[in-house]
mmCIF file with all atom_site columns, all heavy atoms in Angstrom:
data_model
loop_
_atom_site.group_PDB
_atom_site.id
_atom_site.type_symbol
_atom_site.label_atom_id
_atom_site.label_alt_id
_atom_site.label_comp_id
_atom_site.label_asym_id
_atom_site.label_entity_id
_atom_site.label_seq_id
_atom_site.pdbx_PDB_ins_code
_atom_site.Cartn_x
_atom_site.Cartn_y
_atom_site.Cartn_z
_atom_site.occupancy
_atom_site.B_iso_or_equiv
_atom_site.pdbx_formal_charge
_atom_site.auth_seq_id
_atom_site.auth_comp_id
_atom_site.auth_asym_id
_atom_site.auth_atom_id
_atom_site.pdbx_PDB_model_num
ATOM 1   N N   . LEU A 1 1  ? 202.064 118.298 5.438  1.00 0.00 ? 1  LEU A N   1
ATOM 2   C CA  . LEU A 1 1  ? 202.215 117.071 4.654  1.00 0.00 ? 1  LEU A CA  1
ATOM 3   C C   . LEU A 1 1  ? 202.816 117.428 3.301  1.00 0.00 ? 1  LEU A C   1
ATOM 4   O O   . LEU A 1 1  ? 202.646 118.551 2.821  1.00 0.00 ? 1  LEU A O   1
ATOM 5   C CB  . LEU A 1 1  ? 200.845 116.430 4.424  1.00 0.00 ? 1  LEU A CB  1
ATOM 6   C CG  . LEU A 1 1  ? 200.049 116.020 5.658  1.00 0.00 ? 1  LEU A CG  1
ATOM 7   C CD1 . LEU A 1 1  ? 198.630 115.629 5.257  1.00 0.00 ? 1  LEU A CD1 1
ATOM 8   C CD2 . LEU A 1 1  ? 200.747 114.888 6.390  1.00 0.00 ? 1  LEU A CD2 1
ATOM 9   N N   . ASP A 1 2  ? 203.500 116.476 2.692  1.00 0.00 ? 2  ASP A N   1
ATOM 10  C CA  . ASP A 1 2  ? 203.939 116.720 1.319  1.00 0.00 ? 2  ASP A CA  1
ATOM 11  C C   . ASP A 1 2  ? 202.771 116.399 0.371  1.00 0.00 ? 2  ASP A C   1
ATOM 12  O O   . ASP A 1 2  ? 201.679 116.030 0.809  1.00 0.00 ? 2  ASP A O   1
ATOM 13  C CB  . ASP A 1 2  ? 205.217 115.930 0.983  1.00 0.00 ? 2  ASP A CB  1
ATOM 14  C CG  . ASP A 1 2  ? 205.028 114.424 0.986  1.00 0.00 ? 2  ASP A CG  1
ATOM 15  O OD1 . ASP A 1 2  ? 203.866 113.948 0.961  1.00 0.00 ? 2  ASP A OD1 1
ATOM 16  O OD2 . ASP A 1 2  ? 206.047 113.706 1.003  1.00 0.00 ? 2  ASP A OD2 1
ATOM 17  N N   . THR A 1 3  ? 202.995 116.512 -0.922 1.00 0.00 ? 3  THR A N   1
ATOM 18  C CA  . THR A 1 3  ? 201.910 116.307 -1.895 1.00 0.00 ? 3  THR A CA  1
ATOM 19  C C   . THR A 1 3  ? 201.424 114.862 -1.941 1.00 0.00 ? 3  THR A C   1
ATOM 20  O O   . THR A 1 3  ? 200.335 114.597 -2.432 1.00 0.00 ? 3  THR A O   1
ATOM 21  C CB  . THR A 1 3  ? 202.367 116.737 -3.308 1.00 0.00 ? 3  THR A CB  1
ATOM 22  O OG1 . THR A 1 3  ? 203.540 115.991 -3.642 1.00 0.00 ? 3  THR A OG1 1
ATOM 23  C CG2 . THR A 1 3  ? 202.656 118.223 -3.345 1.00 0.00 ? 3  THR A CG2 1
ATOM 24  N N   . GLU A 1 4  ? 202.210 113.949 -1.413 1.00 0.00 ? 4  GLU A N   1
ATOM 25  C CA  . GLU A 1 4  ? 201.821 112.543 -1.362 1.00 0.00 ? 4  GLU A CA  1
ATOM 26  C C   . GLU A 1 4  ? 201.124 112.182 -0.043 1.00 0.00 ? 4  GLU A C   1
ATOM 27  O O   . GLU A 1 4  ? 200.765 111.025 0.178  1.00 0.00 ? 4  GLU A O   1
ATOM 28  C CB  . GLU A 1 4  ? 203.053 111.643 -1.549 1.00 0.00 ? 4  GLU A CB  1
ATOM 29  C CG  . GLU A 1 4  ? 203.819 111.885 -2.831 1.00 0.00 ? 4  GLU A CG  1
ATOM 30  C CD  . GLU A 1 4  ? 202.969 111.575 -4.055 1.00 0.00 ? 4  GLU A CD  1
ATOM 31  O OE1 . GLU A 1 4  ? 202.273 110.548 -4.047 1.00 0.00 ? 4  GLU A OE1 1
ATOM 32  O OE2 . GLU A 1 4  ? 203.001 112.387 -4.999 1.00 0.00 ? 4  GLU A OE2 1
ATOM 33  N N   . GLY A 1 5  ? 200.948 113.174 0.846  1.00 0.00 ? 5  GLY A N   1
ATOM 34  C CA  . GLY A 1 5  ? 200.295 112.914 2.120  1.00 0.00 ? 5  GLY A CA  1
ATOM 35  C C   . GLY A 1 5  ? 201.210 112.363 3.199  1.00 0.00 ? 5  GLY A C   1
ATOM 36  O O   . GLY A 1 5  ? 200.744 111.879 4.228  1.00 0.00 ? 5  GLY A O   1
ATOM 37  N N   . ARG A 1 6  ? 202.521 112.452 2.983  1.00 0.00 ? 6  ARG A N   1
ATOM 38  C CA  . ARG A 1 6  ? 203.481 111.976 3.990  1.00 0.00 ? 6  ARG A CA  1
ATOM 39  C C   . ARG A 1 6  ? 203.819 113.107 4.952  1.00 0.00 ? 6  ARG A C   1
ATOM 40  O O   . ARG A 1 6  ? 203.789 114.289 4.578  1.00 0.00 ? 6  ARG A O   1
ATOM 41  C CB  . ARG A 1 6  ? 204.748 111.471 3.307  1.00 0.00 ? 6  ARG A CB  1
ATOM 42  C CG  . ARG A 1 6  ? 204.531 110.181 2.515  1.00 0.00 ? 6  ARG A CG  1
ATOM 43  C CD  . ARG A 1 6  ? 205.831 109.705 1.899  1.00 0.00 ? 6  ARG A CD  1
ATOM 44  N NE  . ARG A 1 6  ? 206.347 110.702 0.962  1.00 0.00 ? 6  ARG A NE  1
ATOM 45  C CZ  . ARG A 1 6  ? 206.462 110.531 -0.350 1.00 0.00 ? 6  ARG A CZ  1
ATOM 46  N NH1 . ARG A 1 6  ? 206.116 109.385 -0.895 1.00 0.00 ? 6  ARG A NH1 1
ATOM 47  N NH2 . ARG A 1 6  ? 206.925 111.481 -1.123 1.00 0.00 ? 6  ARG A NH2 1
ATOM 48  N N   . LEU A 1 7  ? 204.184 112.723 6.189  1.00 0.00 ? 7  LEU A N   1
ATOM 49  C CA  . LEU A 1 7  ? 204.573 113.711 7.194  1.00 0.00 ? 7  LEU A CA  1
ATOM 50  C C   . LEU A 1 7  ? 205.777 114.496 6.694  1.00 0.00 ? 7  LEU A C   1
ATOM 51  O O   . LEU A 1 7  ? 206.762 113.923 6.239  1.00 0.00 ? 7  LEU A O   1
ATOM 52  C CB  . LEU A 1 7  ? 204.919 113.016 8.512  1.00 0.00 ? 7  LEU A CB  1
ATOM 53  C CG  . LEU A 1 7  ? 203.809 112.189 9.156  1.00 0.00 ? 7  LEU A CG  1
ATOM 54  C CD1 . LEU A 1 7  ? 204.329 111.493 10.412 1.00 0.00 ? 7  LEU A CD1 1
ATOM 55  C CD2 . LEU A 1 7  ? 202.600 113.042 9.475  1.00 0.00 ? 7  LEU A CD2 1
ATOM 56  N N   . LEU A 1 8  ? 205.712 115.802 6.773  1.00 0.00 ? 8  LEU A N   1
ATOM 57  C CA  . LEU A 1 8  ? 206.771 116.662 6.256  1.00 0.00 ? 8  LEU A CA  1
ATOM 58  C C   . LEU A 1 8  ? 207.410 117.498 7.359  1.00 0.00 ? 8  LEU A C   1
ATOM 59  O O   . LEU A 1 8  ? 208.624 117.496 7.530  1.00 0.00 ? 8  LEU A O   1
ATOM 60  C CB  . LEU A 1 8  ? 206.212 117.574 5.157  1.00 0.00 ? 8  LEU A CB  1
ATOM 61  C CG  . LEU A 1 8  ? 207.196 118.510 4.475  1.00 0.00 ? 8  LEU A CG  1
ATOM 62  C CD1 . LEU A 1 8  ? 208.276 117.711 3.758  1.00 0.00 ? 8  LEU A CD1 1
ATOM 63  C CD2 . LEU A 1 8  ? 206.466 119.413 3.499  1.00 0.00 ? 8  LEU A CD2 1
ATOM 64  N N   . ALA A 1 9  ? 206.596 118.256 8.109  1.00 0.00 ? 9  ALA A N   1
ATOM 65  C CA  . ALA A 1 9  ? 207.153 119.169 9.109  1.00 0.00 ? 9  ALA A CA  1
ATOM 66  C C   . ALA A 1 9  ? 206.235 119.233 10.319 1.00 0.00 ? 9  ALA A C   1
ATOM 67  O O   . ALA A 1 9  ? 205.024 119.039 10.211 1.00 0.00 ? 9  ALA A O   1
ATOM 68  C CB  . ALA A 1 9  ? 207.325 120.562 8.505  1.00 0.00 ? 9  ALA A CB  1
ATOM 69  N N   . TYR A 1 10 ? 206.847 119.534 11.456 1.00 0.00 ? 10 TYR A N   1
ATOM 70  C CA  . TYR A 1 10 ? 206.108 119.605 12.719 1.00 0.00 ? 10 TYR A CA  1
ATOM 71  C C   . TYR A 1 10 ? 206.672 120.747 13.545 1.00 0.00 ? 10 TYR A C   1
ATOM 72  O O   . TYR A 1 10 ? 207.887 120.874 13.701 1.00 0.00 ? 10 TYR A O   1
ATOM 73  C CB  . TYR A 1 10 ? 206.269 118.278 13.462 1.00 0.00 ? 10 TYR A CB  1
ATOM 74  C CG  . TYR A 1 10 ? 205.326 118.078 14.631 1.00 0.00 ? 10 TYR A CG  1
ATOM 75  C CD1 . TYR A 1 10 ? 203.985 117.839 14.424 1.00 0.00 ? 10 TYR A CD1 1
ATOM 76  C CD2 . TYR A 1 10 ? 205.794 118.104 15.939 1.00 0.00 ? 10 TYR A CD2 1
ATOM 77  C CE1 . TYR A 1 10 ? 203.121 117.617 15.479 1.00 0.00 ? 10 TYR A CE1 1
ATOM 78  C CE2 . TYR A 1 10 ? 204.939 117.885 17.002 1.00 0.00 ? 10 TYR A CE2 1
ATOM 79  C CZ  . TYR A 1 10 ? 203.601 117.644 16.771 1.00 0.00 ? 10 TYR A CZ  1
ATOM 80  O OH  . TYR A 1 10 ? 202.741 117.420 17.813 1.00 0.00 ? 10 TYR A OH  1
ATOM 81  N N   . ASP A 1 11 ? 205.785 121.559 14.074 1.00 0.00 ? 11 ASP A N   1
ATOM 82  C CA  . ASP A 1 11 ? 206.180 122.667 14.941 1.00 0.00 ? 11 ASP A CA  1
ATOM 83  C C   . ASP A 1 11 ? 205.345 122.569 16.215 1.00 0.00 ? 11 ASP A C   1
ATOM 84  O O   . ASP A 1 11 ? 204.115 122.573 16.158 1.00 0.00 ? 11 ASP A O   1
ATOM 85  C CB  . ASP A 1 11 ? 205.932 124.017 14.253 1.00 0.00 ? 11 ASP A CB  1
ATOM 86  C CG  . ASP A 1 11 ? 206.502 125.167 15.062 1.00 0.00 ? 11 ASP A CG  1
ATOM 87  O OD1 . ASP A 1 11 ? 205.790 125.674 15.956 1.00 0.00 ? 11 ASP A OD1 1
ATOM 88  O OD2 . ASP A 1 11 ? 207.659 125.524 14.809 1.00 0.00 ? 11 ASP A OD2 1
ATOM 89  N N   . PHE A 1 12 ? 206.007 122.449 17.344 1.00 0.00 ? 12 PHE A N   1
ATOM 90  C CA  . PHE A 1 12 ? 205.319 122.240 18.624 1.00 0.00 ? 12 PHE A CA  1
ATOM 91  C C   . PHE A 1 12 ? 205.904 123.194 19.643 1.00 0.00 ? 12 PHE A C   1
ATOM 92  O O   . PHE A 1 12 ? 207.099 123.179 19.918 1.00 0.00 ? 12 PHE A O   1
ATOM 93  C CB  . PHE A 1 12 ? 205.521 120.789 19.072 1.00 0.00 ? 12 PHE A CB  1
ATOM 94  C CG  . PHE A 1 12 ? 204.795 120.421 20.334 1.00 0.00 ? 12 PHE A CG  1
ATOM 95  C CD1 . PHE A 1 12 ? 203.461 120.054 20.295 1.00 0.00 ? 12 PHE A CD1 1
ATOM 96  C CD2 . PHE A 1 12 ? 205.454 120.418 21.553 1.00 0.00 ? 12 PHE A CD2 1
ATOM 97  C CE1 . PHE A 1 12 ? 202.792 119.690 21.454 1.00 0.00 ? 12 PHE A CE1 1
ATOM 98  C CE2 . PHE A 1 12 ? 204.798 120.054 22.714 1.00 0.00 ? 12 PHE A CE2 1
ATOM 99  C CZ  . PHE A 1 12 ? 203.458 119.690 22.666 1.00 0.00 ? 12 PHE A CZ  1
ATOM 100 N N   . GLN A 1 13 ? 205.061 124.056 20.176 1.00 0.00 ? 13 GLN A N   1
ATOM 101 C CA  . GLN A 1 13 ? 205.469 124.957 21.246 1.00 0.00 ? 13 GLN A CA  1
ATOM 102 C C   . GLN A 1 13 ? 204.539 124.720 22.429 1.00 0.00 ? 13 GLN A C   1
ATOM 103 O O   . GLN A 1 13 ? 203.322 124.632 22.260 1.00 0.00 ? 13 GLN A O   1
ATOM 104 C CB  . GLN A 1 13 ? 205.380 126.408 20.809 1.00 0.00 ? 13 GLN A CB  1
ATOM 105 C CG  . GLN A 1 13 ? 206.400 126.786 19.757 1.00 0.00 ? 13 GLN A CG  1
ATOM 106 C CD  . GLN A 1 13 ? 206.416 128.271 19.547 1.00 0.00 ? 13 GLN A CD  1
ATOM 107 O OE1 . GLN A 1 13 ? 206.730 129.023 20.460 1.00 0.00 ? 13 GLN A OE1 1
ATOM 108 N NE2 . GLN A 1 13 ? 206.069 128.695 18.346 1.00 0.00 ? 13 GLN A NE2 1
ATOM 109 N N   . VAL A 1 14 ? 205.116 124.615 23.595 1.00 0.00 ? 14 VAL A N   1
ATOM 110 C CA  . VAL A 1 14 ? 204.326 124.375 24.796 1.00 0.00 ? 14 VAL A CA  1
ATOM 111 C C   . VAL A 1 14 ? 204.750 125.341 25.893 1.00 0.00 ? 14 VAL A C   1
ATOM 112 O O   . VAL A 1 14 ? 205.913 125.709 25.994 1.00 0.00 ? 14 VAL A O   1
ATOM 113 C CB  . VAL A 1 14 ? 204.458 122.899 25.257 1.00 0.00 ? 14 VAL A CB  1
ATOM 114 C CG1 . VAL A 1 14 ? 205.888 122.540 25.618 1.00 0.00 ? 14 VAL A CG1 1
ATOM 115 C CG2 . VAL A 1 14 ? 203.518 122.601 26.412 1.00 0.00 ? 14 VAL A CG2 1
ATOM 116 N N   . ARG A 1 15 ? 203.769 125.745 26.650 1.00 0.00 ? 15 ARG A N   1
ATOM 117 C CA  . ARG A 1 15 ? 204.009 126.576 27.834 1.00 0.00 ? 15 ARG A CA  1
ATOM 118 C C   . ARG A 1 15 ? 203.379 125.851 29.019 1.00 0.00 ? 15 ARG A C   1
ATOM 119 O O   . ARG A 1 15 ? 202.193 125.550 28.999 1.00 0.00 ? 15 ARG A O   1
ATOM 120 C CB  . ARG A 1 15 ? 203.373 127.946 27.659 1.00 0.00 ? 15 ARG A CB  1
ATOM 121 C CG  . ARG A 1 15 ? 204.086 128.806 26.661 1.00 0.00 ? 15 ARG A CG  1
ATOM 122 C CD  . ARG A 1 15 ? 203.238 130.010 26.263 1.00 0.00 ? 15 ARG A CD  1
ATOM 123 N NE  . ARG A 1 15 ? 203.946 130.848 25.331 1.00 0.00 ? 15 ARG A NE  1
ATOM 124 C CZ  . ARG A 1 15 ? 204.050 130.589 24.020 1.00 0.00 ? 15 ARG A CZ  1
ATOM 125 N NH1 . ARG A 1 15 ? 203.489 129.537 23.505 1.00 0.00 ? 15 ARG A NH1 1
ATOM 126 N NH2 . ARG A 1 15 ? 204.722 131.389 23.232 1.00 0.00 ? 15 ARG A NH2 1
ATOM 127 N N   . TYR A 1 16 ? 204.208 125.549 30.004 1.00 0.00 ? 16 TYR A N   1
ATOM 128 C CA  . TYR A 1 16 ? 203.691 124.923 31.211 1.00 0.00 ? 16 TYR A CA  1
ATOM 129 C C   . TYR A 1 16 ? 204.573 125.278 32.396 1.00 0.00 ? 16 TYR A C   1
ATOM 130 O O   . TYR A 1 16 ? 205.725 125.639 32.238 1.00 0.00 ? 16 TYR A O   1
ATOM 131 C CB  . TYR A 1 16 ? 203.547 123.408 31.062 1.00 0.00 ? 16 TYR A CB  1
ATOM 132 C CG  . TYR A 1 16 ? 204.807 122.647 30.734 1.00 0.00 ? 16 TYR A CG  1
ATOM 133 C CD1 . TYR A 1 16 ? 205.659 122.207 31.727 1.00 0.00 ? 16 TYR A CD1 1
ATOM 134 C CD2 . TYR A 1 16 ? 205.115 122.331 29.422 1.00 0.00 ? 16 TYR A CD2 1
ATOM 135 C CE1 . TYR A 1 16 ? 206.793 121.486 31.429 1.00 0.00 ? 16 TYR A CE1 1
ATOM 136 C CE2 . TYR A 1 16 ? 206.241 121.601 29.115 1.00 0.00 ? 16 TYR A CE2 1
ATOM 137 C CZ  . TYR A 1 16 ? 207.072 121.184 30.122 1.00 0.00 ? 16 TYR A CZ  1
ATOM 138 O OH  . TYR A 1 16 ? 208.193 120.470 29.818 1.00 0.00 ? 16 TYR A OH  1
ATOM 139 N N   . PRO A 1 17 ? 204.005 125.184 33.593 1.00 0.00 ? 17 PRO A N   1
ATOM 140 C CA  . PRO A 1 17 ? 204.747 125.601 34.778 1.00 0.00 ? 17 PRO A CA  1
ATOM 141 C C   . PRO A 1 17 ? 205.746 124.553 35.250 1.00 0.00 ? 17 PRO A C   1
ATOM 142 O O   . PRO A 1 17 ? 205.584 123.360 35.024 1.00 0.00 ? 17 PRO A O   1
ATOM 143 C CB  . PRO A 1 17 ? 203.660 125.807 35.825 1.00 0.00 ? 17 PRO A CB  1
ATOM 144 C CG  . PRO A 1 17 ? 202.540 124.972 35.379 1.00 0.00 ? 17 PRO A CG  1
ATOM 145 C CD  . PRO A 1 17 ? 202.617 124.885 33.887 1.00 0.00 ? 17 PRO A CD  1
ATOM 146 N N   . SER A 1 18 ? 206.750 125.056 35.929 1.00 0.00 ? 18 SER A N   1
ATOM 147 C CA  . SER A 1 18 ? 207.759 124.190 36.519 1.00 0.00 ? 18 SER A CA  1
ATOM 148 C C   . SER A 1 18 ? 207.128 123.226 37.508 1.00 0.00 ? 18 SER A C   1
ATOM 149 O O   . SER A 1 18 ? 206.108 123.512 38.114 1.00 0.00 ? 18 SER A O   1
ATOM 150 C CB  . SER A 1 18 ? 208.787 125.038 37.261 1.00 0.00 ? 18 SER A CB  1
ATOM 151 O OG  . SER A 1 18 ? 209.408 125.926 36.377 1.00 0.00 ? 18 SER A OG  1
ATOM 152 N N   . ASN A 1 19 ? 207.762 122.111 37.659 1.00 0.00 ? 19 ASN A N   1
ATOM 153 C CA  . ASN A 1 19 ? 207.299 121.117 38.618 1.00 0.00 ? 19 ASN A CA  1
ATOM 154 C C   . ASN A 1 19 ? 207.883 121.460 39.988 1.00 0.00 ? 19 ASN A C   1
ATOM 155 O O   . ASN A 1 19 ? 208.804 120.826 40.460 1.00 0.00 ? 19 ASN A O   1
ATOM 156 C CB  . ASN A 1 19 ? 207.746 119.732 38.166 1.00 0.00 ? 19 ASN A CB  1
ATOM 157 C CG  . ASN A 1 19 ? 207.121 118.643 38.999 1.00 0.00 ? 19 ASN A CG  1
ATOM 158 O OD1 . ASN A 1 19 ? 206.154 118.880 39.702 1.00 0.00 ? 19 ASN A OD1 1
ATOM 159 N ND2 . ASN A 1 19 ? 207.679 117.458 38.926 1.00 0.00 ? 19 ASN A ND2 1
ATOM 160 N N   . ASP A 1 20 ? 207.348 122.491 40.599 1.00 0.00 ? 20 ASP A N   1
ATOM 161 C CA  . ASP A 1 20 ? 207.863 122.947 41.880 1.00 0.00 ? 20 ASP A CA  1
ATOM 162 C C   . ASP A 1 20 ? 206.718 122.908 42.885 1.00 0.00 ? 20 ASP A C   1
ATOM 163 O O   . ASP A 1 20 ? 206.038 123.896 43.104 1.00 0.00 ? 20 ASP A O   1
ATOM 164 C CB  . ASP A 1 20 ? 208.419 124.373 41.736 1.00 0.00 ? 20 ASP A CB  1
ATOM 165 C CG  . ASP A 1 20 ? 209.128 124.821 42.996 1.00 0.00 ? 20 ASP A CG  1
ATOM 166 O OD1 . ASP A 1 20 ? 209.572 123.965 43.775 1.00 0.00 ? 20 ASP A OD1 1
ATOM 167 O OD2 . ASP A 1 20 ? 209.222 126.040 43.212 1.00 0.00 ? 20 ASP A OD2 1
ATOM 168 N N   . ALA A 1 21 ? 206.501 121.742 43.465 1.00 0.00 ? 21 ALA A N   1
ATOM 169 C CA  . ALA A 1 21 ? 205.415 121.571 44.433 1.00 0.00 ? 21 ALA A CA  1
ATOM 170 C C   . ALA A 1 21 ? 206.036 121.471 45.821 1.00 0.00 ? 21 ALA A C   1
ATOM 171 O O   . ALA A 1 21 ? 206.325 120.389 46.302 1.00 0.00 ? 21 ALA A O   1
ATOM 172 C CB  . ALA A 1 21 ? 204.607 120.314 44.105 1.00 0.00 ? 21 ALA A CB  1
ATOM 173 N N   . PRO A 1 22 ? 206.262 122.603 46.475 1.00 0.00 ? 22 PRO A N   1
ATOM 174 C CA  . PRO A 1 22 ? 206.893 122.545 47.800 1.00 0.00 ? 22 PRO A CA  1
ATOM 175 C C   . PRO A 1 22 ? 205.954 121.905 48.817 1.00 0.00 ? 22 PRO A C   1
ATOM 176 O O   . PRO A 1 22 ? 204.747 121.809 48.595 1.00 0.00 ? 22 PRO A O   1
ATOM 177 C CB  . PRO A 1 22 ? 207.142 124.019 48.135 1.00 0.00 ? 22 PRO A CB  1
ATOM 178 C CG  . PRO A 1 22 ? 206.131 124.761 47.337 1.00 0.00 ? 22 PRO A CG  1
ATOM 179 C CD  . PRO A 1 22 ? 205.918 123.962 46.089 1.00 0.00 ? 22 PRO A CD  1
ATOM 180 N N   . LEU A 1 23 ? 206.518 121.476 49.919 1.00 0.00 ? 23 LEU A N   1
ATOM 181 C CA  . LEU A 1 23 ? 205.691 120.932 50.993 1.00 0.00 ? 23 LEU A CA  1
ATOM 182 C C   . LEU A 1 23 ? 204.665 121.964 51.423 1.00 0.00 ? 23 LEU A C   1
ATOM 183 O O   . LEU A 1 23 ? 204.986 123.147 51.587 1.00 0.00 ? 23 LEU A O   1
ATOM 184 C CB  . LEU A 1 23 ? 206.542 120.569 52.204 1.00 0.00 ? 23 LEU A CB  1
ATOM 185 C CG  . LEU A 1 23 ? 207.454 119.363 52.099 1.00 0.00 ? 23 LEU A CG  1
ATOM 186 C CD1 . LEU A 1 23 ? 208.275 119.211 53.373 1.00 0.00 ? 23 LEU A CD1 1
ATOM 187 C CD2 . LEU A 1 23 ? 206.659 118.100 51.825 1.00 0.00 ? 23 LEU A CD2 1
ATOM 188 N N   . LEU A 1 24 ? 203.452 121.517 51.637 1.00 0.00 ? 24 LEU A N   1
ATOM 189 C CA  . LEU A 1 24 ? 202.400 122.413 52.099 1.00 0.00 ? 24 LEU A CA  1
ATOM 190 C C   . LEU A 1 24 ? 202.794 123.046 53.430 1.00 0.00 ? 24 LEU A C   1
ATOM 191 O O   . LEU A 1 24 ? 202.552 124.236 53.660 1.00 0.00 ? 24 LEU A O   1
ATOM 192 C CB  . LEU A 1 24 ? 201.079 121.649 52.207 1.00 0.00 ? 24 LEU A CB  1
ATOM 193 C CG  . LEU A 1 24 ? 199.827 122.467 52.429 1.00 0.00 ? 24 LEU A CG  1
ATOM 194 C CD1 . LEU A 1 24 ? 199.660 123.550 51.370 1.00 0.00 ? 24 LEU A CD1 1
ATOM 195 C CD2 . LEU A 1 24 ? 198.606 121.552 52.462 1.00 0.00 ? 24 LEU A CD2 1
ATOM 196 N N   . ALA A 1 25 ? 203.437 122.286 54.310 1.00 0.00 ? 25 ALA A N   1
ATOM 197 C CA  . ALA A 1 25 ? 203.869 122.824 55.609 1.00 0.00 ? 25 ALA A CA  1
ATOM 198 C C   . ALA A 1 25 ? 204.874 123.958 55.429 1.00 0.00 ? 25 ALA A C   1
ATOM 199 O O   . ALA A 1 25 ? 204.849 124.941 56.183 1.00 0.00 ? 25 ALA A O   1
ATOM 200 C CB  . ALA A 1 25 ? 204.462 121.710 56.471 1.00 0.00 ? 25 ALA A CB  1
ATOM 201 N N   . LEU A 1 26 ? 205.772 123.839 54.444 1.00 0.00 ? 26 LEU A N   1
ATOM 202 C CA  . LEU A 1 26 ? 206.728 124.930 54.196 1.00 0.00 ? 26 LEU A CA  1
ATOM 203 C C   . LEU A 1 26 ? 206.008 126.188 53.726 1.00 0.00 ? 26 LEU A C   1
ATOM 204 O O   . LEU A 1 26 ? 206.375 127.301 54.103 1.00 0.00 ? 26 LEU A O   1
ATOM 205 C CB  . LEU A 1 26 ? 207.774 124.503 53.165 1.00 0.00 ? 26 LEU A CB  1
ATOM 206 C CG  . LEU A 1 26 ? 208.920 123.653 53.682 1.00 0.00 ? 26 LEU A CG  1
ATOM 207 C CD1 . LEU A 1 26 ? 209.766 123.127 52.528 1.00 0.00 ? 26 LEU A CD1 1
ATOM 208 C CD2 . LEU A 1 26 ? 209.777 124.438 54.656 1.00 0.00 ? 26 LEU A CD2 1
ATOM 209 N N   . LEU A 1 27 ? 204.985 126.009 52.898 1.00 0.00 ? 27 LEU A N   1
ATOM 210 C CA  . LEU A 1 27 ? 204.213 127.173 52.451 1.00 0.00 ? 27 LEU A CA  1
ATOM 211 C C   . LEU A 1 27 ? 203.435 127.796 53.610 1.00 0.00 ? 27 LEU A C   1
ATOM 212 O O   . LEU A 1 27 ? 203.443 129.014 53.803 1.00 0.00 ? 27 LEU A O   1
ATOM 213 C CB  . LEU A 1 27 ? 203.242 126.776 51.339 1.00 0.00 ? 27 LEU A CB  1
ATOM 214 C CG  . LEU A 1 27 ? 203.851 126.495 49.975 1.00 0.00 ? 27 LEU A CG  1
ATOM 215 C CD1 . LEU A 1 27 ? 202.825 125.849 49.057 1.00 0.00 ? 27 LEU A CD1 1
ATOM 216 C CD2 . LEU A 1 27 ? 204.386 127.769 49.353 1.00 0.00 ? 27 LEU A CD2 1
ATOM 217 N N   . LEU A 1 28 ? 202.767 126.958 54.402 1.00 0.00 ? 28 LEU A N   1
ATOM 218 C CA  . LEU A 1 28 ? 201.903 127.461 55.473 1.00 0.00 ? 28 LEU A CA  1
ATOM 219 C C   . LEU A 1 28 ? 202.679 128.069 56.634 1.00 0.00 ? 28 LEU A C   1
ATOM 220 O O   . LEU A 1 28 ? 202.171 128.951 57.326 1.00 0.00 ? 28 LEU A O   1
ATOM 221 C CB  . LEU A 1 28 ? 200.978 126.351 55.972 1.00 0.00 ? 28 LEU A CB  1
ATOM 222 C CG  . LEU A 1 28 ? 199.976 125.824 54.946 1.00 0.00 ? 28 LEU A CG  1
ATOM 223 C CD1 . LEU A 1 28 ? 199.182 124.659 55.515 1.00 0.00 ? 28 LEU A CD1 1
ATOM 224 C CD2 . LEU A 1 28 ? 199.035 126.931 54.478 1.00 0.00 ? 28 LEU A CD2 1
ATOM 225 N N   . THR A 1 29 ? 203.906 127.611 56.867 1.00 0.00 ? 29 THR A N   1
ATOM 226 C CA  . THR A 1 29 ? 204.720 128.162 57.952 1.00 0.00 ? 29 THR A CA  1
ATOM 227 C C   . THR A 1 29 ? 205.607 129.317 57.487 1.00 0.00 ? 29 THR A C   1
ATOM 228 O O   . THR A 1 29 ? 206.320 129.905 58.278 1.00 0.00 ? 29 THR A O   1
ATOM 229 C CB  . THR A 1 29 ? 205.628 127.074 58.573 1.00 0.00 ? 29 THR A CB  1
ATOM 230 O OG1 . THR A 1 29 ? 206.521 126.582 57.568 1.00 0.00 ? 29 THR A OG1 1
ATOM 231 C CG2 . THR A 1 29 ? 204.811 125.945 59.179 1.00 0.00 ? 29 THR A CG2 1
#
């Protein structure tokens, strides 16, 4: 925040897995 309490800066880092949900049948076979 700045000295007046206003939004100043934002840093956002995220780690998450790819959306790769193959068919269960493809995995099992």
Side-chain angles (χ1 to χ4, degrees):
L1 300 170
D2 65 15
T3 57
E4 303 297 317
R6 291 182 298 246
L7 300 177
L8 182 62
Y10 193 72
D11 187 273
F12 183 83
Q13 291 190 63
V14 62
R15 288 166 179 80
Y16 59 87
S18 300
N19 189 16
D20 187 23
L23 289 177
L24 191 55
L26 279 171
L27 287 169
L28 296 176
T29 62

